[in-house]
Amino acid sequence: MGHLHQDKKILNRVKRLQGQLQAVETALQQEDKSCIEVLQQVAAIKGAVNGLMNELIESHLREHVIKQNDDNEKELAEFLKLLKRYT
């Protein structure tokens, strides 16, 4: 996936994830943070990781697997819709 270094959208997702993980680490070090607050942050991270995974899969399919034509685009759109539903 050498082409990913050019994808600012994916890199921005990773940077946001890093910030979210740091926020969880900070929250765990604070006595006044409730378990619910930490769990909400972790749930947000889980959603962000799923979103990143979907972006990476789509990028891989578009760059390395799918040949550009209308039939493949329709199939790809259906596959990605299904993937997003279950992740």
Side-chain angles (χ1 to χ4, degrees):
M1 288 194 168
H3 59 93
L4 291 177
H5 72 280
Q6 299 171 346
D7 194 329
K8 290 185 180 194
K9 186 176 179 182
I10 289 175
L11 291 173
N12 286 337
R13 278 184 180 266
V14 170
K15 288 178 184 180
R16 280 194 303 274
L17 273 165
Q18 289 173 333
Q20 289 175 308
L21 284 168
Q22 288 174 348
V24 168
E25 181 181 2
T26 300
L28 291 172
Q29 295 171 354
Q30 297 174 353
E31 289 185 28
D32 63 332
K33 291 292 181 184
S34 72
C35 294
I36 297 299
E37 289 176 298
V38 175
L39 286 168
Q40 287 174 330
Q41 288 177 312
V42 171
I45 291 169
K46 182 179 177 183
V49 168
N50 286 340
L52 174 62
M53 183 64 137
N54 289 341
E55 287 285 330
L56 291 171
I57 289 170
E58 181 176 353
S59 180
H60 173 72
L61 290 173
R62 288 188 185 282
E63 188 72 22
H64 301 289
V65 178
I66 301 293
K67 294 179 182 168
Q68 296 289 324
N69 70 44
D70 289 339
D71 291 337
N72 287 342
E73 283 296 319
K74 289 177 188 175
E75 249 183 84
L76 177 60
E78 288 179 32
F79 173 77
L80 293 172
K81 184 178 176 181
L82 179 70
L83 180 67
K84 290 175 184 176
R85 185 179 304 151
Y86 293 103
T87 57

